[in-house]
């Protein structure tokens, strides 16, 4: 049942899509589970290759129900929404319309999901990013690695009522040889026995610059080592390398 759920909810991400090479990682904190509250999906649209990665507040089946609602909406709206701001609005509307709070068996005020949306054109070197309360992705450009800033981030999904103005996606250069790392806070907030957070930037500076090694395999091993094989949060990550 866990395998079937994973195949329906988290459909396999293509390893190659247009000018992109893509690698994905998914780990759950719940024992014996295959899927949790973290989610991701990729869509090849007329606007470009669109990606979502996010994290529902909470764990277990309630978080899974909310992730399912968001992914179902993304897989339809990604092909129709003319820009990422409108796509985020569609995802927000899904949570309100479908009363995802009842699925989560919780207070609507307590239900939200952080997410990052990206749009990468098949041609050209300008990509677009919109963060909905989510940690910023890492950009590797010829060995220079930094967190990618967002100019006007949106609040987490289902908290859109906090907005007084429309959020604006950020544009950034994404050229052949550049690599992006999207991740959930289960990565950045993994702690060791002393309570120290996983040093994501230091790890990336050492590992993402070595293309011969799949970065997410290395990330998985590094997280297990740092936590003492005691990962206590769902983890999702996607690495995107532009090859041409």
């Amino acid at each position: 049942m866990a395998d079937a759920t994973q195949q329906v909810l988290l459909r396999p991400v293509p390893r190659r899509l247009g000018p992109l090479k893509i690698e994905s990682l998914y780990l759950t904190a719940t024992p014996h589970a295959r899927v949790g509250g973290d989610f991701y999906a990729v869509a090849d649209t007329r606007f470009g290759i669109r990606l979502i990665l996010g994290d529902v507040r909470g764990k277990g089946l309630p978080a899974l129900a909310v992730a399912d609602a968001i992914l179902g909406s993304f897989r339809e709206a990604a092909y129709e929404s003319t820009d990422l701001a409108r796509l985020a609005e569609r995802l927000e509307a899904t949570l309100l319309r479908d009363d995802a709070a009842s699925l989560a068996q919780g207070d609507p005020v307590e239900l939200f999901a952080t997410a990052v949306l990206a749009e990468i054109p098949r041609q050209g070197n300008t990509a677009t990013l919109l963060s909905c309360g989510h940690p910023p992705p890492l950009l590797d450009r010829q060995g220079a690695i930094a967190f990618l800033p967002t100019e006007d981030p949106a609040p987490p999904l289902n908290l859109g009522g906090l907005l007084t103005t429309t959020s604006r996606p950020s544009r950034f250069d994404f050229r052949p040889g550049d690599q992006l790392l999207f991740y959930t806070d289960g990565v950045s907030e993994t702690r060791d026995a002393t309570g120290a957070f996983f040093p994501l930037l230091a790890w990336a500076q050492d590992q993402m610059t070595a293309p011969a090694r799949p970065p997410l395999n290395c990330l998985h091993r590094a997280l297990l080592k740092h936590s003492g094989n005691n990962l206590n949060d769902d983890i999702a990550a996607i690495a995107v390398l532009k090859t041409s």
Side-chain angles (χ1 to χ4, degrees), residues 48-202:
I49 298 168
R50 287 179 165 175
L51 175 150
I52 185 172
L53 180 140
D55 181 5
V56 178
R57 182 184 182 278
K59 300 181 179 68
L61 290 177
L64 181 61
V66 178
D68 179 53
I70 293 172
L71 286 178
S73 179
F74 173 82
R75 289 175 178 136
E76 177 182 353
Y79 295 92
E80 301 172 355
S81 302
T82 55
D83 59 45
L84 295 185
R86 288 178 173 82
L87 176 54
E89 290 173 356
R90 288 282 298 275
L91 301 178
E92 176 88 10
T94 292
L95 291 183
L96 295 174
R97 182 188 66 237
D98 292 350
D99 191 17
S102 64
L103 297 175
Q105 302 174 1
D107 188 329
V109 176
E110 296 294 329
L111 172 71
F112 61 87
T114 67
V116 60
L117 298 165
E119 180 181 296
I120 303 170
R122 282 182 165 269
Q123 297 180 339
N125 297 314
T126 301
T128 309
L129 182 78
L130 178 62
S131 173
C132 300
H134 199 79
L138 281 167
L139 175 64
D140 171 17
R141 175 167 292 142
Q142 298 179 344
I145 299 179
F147 291 105
L148 194 61
T150 53
E151 296 176 358
D152 189 11
L157 298 173
N158 208 40
L159 297 180
L162 300 176
L163 278 176
T164 57
T165 60
T166 302
S167 297
R168 294 177 300 171
S170 303
R171 297 184 180 276
F172 63 97
D173 286 340
F174 192 50
R175 300 179 177 277
D178 291 352
Q179 186 170 203
L180 284 165
L181 176 65
F182 301 90
Y183 56 93
T184 57
D185 62 8
V187 173
S188 55
E189 295 181 3
T190 291
R191 296 175 183 261
D192 64 12
T194 69
F197 288 121
F198 178 69
L200 178 59
L201 184 59

Side-chain angles (χ1 to χ4, degrees), residues 1-14:
M1 289 178 65
D3 288 339
T5 302
Q6 184 179 46
Q7 291 172 9
V8 171
L9 181 62
L10 288 177
R11 300 172 188 173
V13 173

